[in-house]
Amino acid sequence: MTGPEAETPAAQPATPAAEAAPAPAPAPELESAKVPEVEQALQDALAKANENYDIYMRAKAEAENVRRRAAEDVAKASKFAIESFAEALVPVADSLEKALQAEAATAEALREGAQLTLRQLLAAFEKGRLTPIDPAGQKFDPNFHQAISMVPAPEGIAPNHVVSVLQKGWKIADRVLRPALVTVAAP
């Protein structure tokens, strides 16, 4: 076998590497594709990719700006959360300072000034949604009341009801700030 037949793959001895490697697939032929058309398609794809990348970067920057603005808003809200309440308390402080500056005030004038100042304070509390818990005569509720003692039920007061309020409680909106200290009628 010395001619063209000797160079055929069947005539050569098989090697393990040649048997393991698959034969390369023939390249697909582009039927009607021409180089300028392929280059134009590539340029169009690159332009679209750049446009999408630009849109992505803008959206990412906008999301970062929204996150930063939200964090600033939260910081401002917590920093100035009591601003409205403080504004309502300033006139109360002014009234108390004027009362202390009065030199020749009568007891009646001081009492009247204290009542006016208390009304200002209660108006400020109301504006800040701070409301009193005054449970005299109500059924004892451990969520709003703290029983200091139990006493025999007086005439007209049902068992497990508040007999007297030693100290009013306070709540902000629906949350108890301080429970009312009460005595309760024994069962």
Side-chain angles (χ1 to χ4, degrees):
M1 285 189 158
T2 59
E5 298 165 2
E7 295 184 20
T8 61
Q12 296 176 353
T15 62
E19 290 175 6
E29 294 183 28
L30 299 174
E31 295 174 13
S32 63
K34 296 187 170 76
V35 172
E37 292 172 354
V38 171
E39 286 180 356
Q40 183 59 43
L42 177 61
Q43 292 301 321
D44 292 346
L46 286 173
K48 185 66 176 172
N50 286 337
E51 179 184 339
N52 287 339
Y53 182 74
D54 185 52
I55 291 170
Y56 161 75
M57 291 304 287
R58 289 176 189 270
K60 183 178 175 184
E62 179 64 22
E64 181 63 27
N65 288 341
V66 167
R67 187 201 61 76
R68 182 185 46 77
R69 275 187 242 121
E72 287 173 1
D73 289 346
V74 167
K76 284 179 185 175
S78 65
K79 185 176 182 180
F80 300 111
I82 65 165
E83 182 177 10
S84 173
F85 186 62
E87 285 176 353
L89 287 179
V90 169
V92 175
D94 292 342
S95 295
L96 290 172
E97 286 175 352
K98 286 186 188 225
L100 290 174
Q101 291 171 356
E103 293 180 16
T106 64
E108 185 59 35
L110 286 175
R111 181 174 177 75
E112 186 178 323
Q115 287 174 340
L116 290 173
T117 304
L118 179 61
R119 279 199 291 268
Q120 282 181 321
L121 182 62
L122 292 177
F125 283 177
E126 187 176 321
K127 187 176 180 182
R129 298 180 1 177
L130 183 63
T131 54
I133 301 172
D134 192 4
Q138 296 178 2
K139 183 166 176 56
F140 176 74
D141 183 352
N143 296 314
F144 297 101
H145 315 140
Q146 181 177 349
I148 298 301
S149 65
M150 292 190 85
V151 296
E155 203 56 42
I157 303 250
N160 291 324
H161 279 67
V162 175
V163 174
S164 65
V165 178
L166 304 172
Q167 186 179 57
K168 283 195 287 188
W170 292 92
K171 62 183 181 173
I172 298 176
D174 292 329
R175 191 172 117 204
V176 174
L177 181 64
R178 179 181 79 190
L181 298 179
V182 297
T183 57
V184 180

